[in-house]
Structures are given as C-alpha cells and as structure tokens.
Amino acid sequence: MKLGTSTNMFYRHRGENVKPSYAEKVAMIADAGFDVADIHFCDSVRPRWNDALASDGWERAIDEAGEVAAARGITFSQSHSPFNPYLFTRGRQPDAETLELLAEMTRRSIIASGKLGVKWMVFHPLNDTANCEYDTDIELKTNREYYAPILEQCKKAGVGMALENMFNFSPADYRRSYCENPEDLISLVDSFADPAVGICWDFGHANFMISDQPRALRKVGSRLKATHVQDNRGDVDSHLIPFVGGNIKWEKIMPCLREIGYEGDFVYEAQNYTQDFPDALKPDAAKFAVEVGRYLLRMYEGNN
C-alpha cells in the first residue's frame, strides 16, 4: 500500500482564489515525499475557480501534469470526478447549462484520468429525493441509469469506477442519504456485476454514520479499491489529516485494512488541513502529513 494525497491539498493560495496548476500541485506532492497522487477534478464545475479542466487548454494542462509526475516518480492512483450535489434533489434541480457543464467536465475528467494512468476514479452516489423520500429500489435504479453510460466511458479510457460512501451533508437535515451505509453501497456496486466497479471508502464520511468502521469494512471486503483518508469529530466534514483534530480510531482501522486484504493505496483527501497555511509553511505541513501517513502504514504492517 502506497501513501498519496489528492491534489486538493494544494488547491489554493491563502486568501486567494488563484490556484496552482495541476503540474505545480503534482510537483508539491513529490516534494513532500508522497508516492502517488489523486487528481481532483471537482473544481472544474465551479466557474469562479477557473479550473484548467474547464479551459480550452485542458489537454495540455493534463499532459504537463503527467510529464511532471513521470519526471518526479509520481504515479496517479486515483482521481475524483466532478459532481453536483443537487442532482435528483427535490426542488433544487440544476439548470440545463449547469447539467451540460457537468456532463462535459465528467467526460474530460475521464479522458484525463485515462491519459494519466489512473486506476480508480471516484464518483458520488446520487441521493434521489425527487422521485422518492427514501426507497432503496428507486435510489438504486436512479444511480444505475445515471452511471451506466459513464461507466462505459470509464472502461473505454481504462479507468475503474469507485463509488464512495456518503452522508447527509446538511447538519440541519436528519433525513437519511443513499449509500451512507455499507449495505446500500454494496448493493449498488454488486448490481453492476462488473470488476470495473468498486468502492472508495471515505473514513471521514463514515465517522458521521458508523460507530464501528472495521465492521463496515469487513462487509465491503474485496470491493474496496480506493480510499479518502480524512479525519473529523463526526460533526463537521473537516477533511483533516489523521490525529489532527479528529477522533477516528485509526488503531482499529489500519489492521482491518490488512485483514480484508486491501490492495489499493492510502490517499489523503485533507484539503482543510493545509488551506490556511501561508505558502511558505505548506511544504513543511505536507511533509508532516507524510510522517503521519508513514506511521499509519507501519500500523497497517503491524510494526507500531
């Protein structure tokens, strides 16, 4: 298991909307000492961020990231697809222009992932409250119909689809969300009956919903293909590195990953850990994140 981080660990300069390029973020990942990278495409559907994937020169931007990665010995283990949280949400459907942008950025991100050699691209299951209040059969049907053609795009690009465990992002809304529990997620993944479909486990999301993550991970088993490693206290989706302000029991999780035979990588999605550091301090902060990750990998190996 290799240690990695999402490019969103370096997604902006403090106090600015100016973003480093994909190539610059890959270089910072290499400088910190990570083994692999997760390229984060979510900002491409947020026009104010001026993400390179949404520009006319997007293919060159991806090629440059690949060139830097090859020169620095970094491989791309994962990627994160663009998403819109209001799809199939009652009363808040995106307009046609927004949906068109999402479809195009998804297409580009799949092509980019293929060019970069990404193994697993992470997608959010949809929470359908437009067609039901909470009905697992309808939720399953909605997700299968939406993702089946996207899966074909992924397979054409040589990229696997990893569906992520979710939670209700609204602290004032107590309704359940589809795939917040492993049973829904497993049913959705198994419904495709395709080895190109697996699971990405977000430990921070699970901390809201599941008191015993190892028990859930044992259910997921060999379906687990990718990880979003982040910590929180189960009240805010903090996206911090482990042991920094969170309460997830990593001492129980790491041996469990070994127990279930997880063969993927251990990849941070911890953008809030670094977002307020000045640029001068981010390299040392990222190196500390690497130290924490190496400690956890030793735990995985049974050496701590």
Side-chain angles (χ1 to χ4, degrees):
M1 184 160 60
K2 295 179 180 179
L3 180 64
T5 189
S6 169
T7 52
N8 72 1
M9 183 171 274
F10 306 102
Y11 79 105
R12 69 170 185 175
H13 300 291
R14 176 182 168 89
E16 302 177 8
N17 282 342
V18 178
K19 297 177 59 174
S21 68
Y22 288 130
E24 289 170 329
K25 285 182 276 194
V26 171
M28 287 186 273
I29 287 170
D31 288 342
F34 289 101
D35 308 312
V36 298
D38 175 333
I39 188 159
H40 183 85
F41 294 122
C42 298
D43 291 339
S44 63
V45 291
R46 300 164 184 161
R48 71 186 183 89
W49 281 105
N50 298 315
D51 190 89
L53 194 72
S55 72
D56 291 339
W58 69 273
E59 290 179 289
R60 183 57 195 149
I62 295 302
D63 289 342
E64 289 173 353
E67 290 163 6
V68 170
R72 303 295 299 275
I74 292 288
T75 57
F76 291 93
S77 176
Q78 302 172 191
S79 64
H80 199 314
S81 70
F83 68 93
N84 187 303
Y86 302 128
L87 281 177
F88 297 99
T89 300
R90 184 177 55 252
R92 303 186 71 178
Q93 284 295 290
D95 59 31
E97 184 178 353
T98 300
L99 291 174
E100 184 179 352
L101 176 64
L102 176 62
E104 175 60 15
M105 292 306 106
T106 300
R107 185 189 73 85
R108 292 185 185 186
S109 65
I110 292 170
I111 294 170
S113 296
K115 293 179 73 171
L116 294 173
V118 167
K119 299 174 184 175
W120 293 96
M121 188 170 184
V122 178
F123 293 83
H124 286 191
L126 303 170
N127 191 41
D128 185 349
T129 61
N131 298 308
C132 66
E133 189 59 45
Y134 191 87
D135 185 311
T136 53
D137 291 337
I138 293 175
E139 301 272 12
L140 179 64
K141 181 175 182 289
T142 296
N143 277 273
R144 280 187 52 81
E145 289 177 351
Y146 183 82
Y147 279 118
I150 293 175
L151 173 59
E152 292 309 309
Q153 293 179 52
C154 287
K155 291 170 70 172
K156 184 177 180 181
V159 179
M161 172 183 283
L163 294 162
E164 183 176 356
N165 61 306
M166 304 305 292
F167 78 107
N168 192 328
F169 287 86
S170 174
D173 187 346
Y174 295 100
R175 288 175 295 185
R176 296 170 66 191
S177 292
Y178 187 58
C179 289
E180 69 184 19
N181 61 63
E183 292 80 13
D184 285 348
L185 190 58
I186 288 167
S187 293
L188 175 58
V189 168
D190 287 357
S191 75
F192 287 96
D194 192 320
V197 184
I199 286 174
C200 172
W201 193 258
D202 187 306
F203 299 96
H205 291 179
N207 198 39
F208 282 81
M209 310 308 306
I210 297 169
S211 60
D212 188 342
Q213 290 202 50
R215 181 164 56 189
L217 287 166
R218 291 185 189 102
K219 291 181 180 180
V220 169
S222 61
R223 301 173 186 85
L224 184 63
K225 305 299 181 183
T227 54
H228 282 171
V229 177
Q230 58 136 326
D231 213 337
N232 60 49
R233 304 195 70 83
D235 54 0
V236 176
D237 196 22
S238 305
H239 287 274
L240 301 170
I241 66 170
F243 310 121
V244 178
N247 61 9
I248 293 175
K249 302 299 186 288
W250 298 100
E251 296 85 353
K252 296 181 178 180
I253 286 171
M254 301 309 296
C256 181
L257 292 175
R258 182 178 70 249
E259 175 190 331
I260 67 173
Y262 175 57
E263 297 178 347
D265 296 322
F266 196 69
V267 180
Y268 287 134
E269 190 186 52
Q271 66 272 21
N272 290 342
Y273 164 64
T274 51
Q275 72 169 351
D276 291 324
F277 279 104
D279 286 352
L281 297 180
K282 279 185 180 177
D284 286 339
K287 288 175 183 176
F288 177 69
V290 169
E291 286 188 39
V292 172
R294 300 290 181 209
Y295 176 87
L296 287 164
L297 292 189
R298 290 194 297 273
M299 195 181 293
Y300 167 85
E301 296 163 358
N303 295 329
N304 278 358

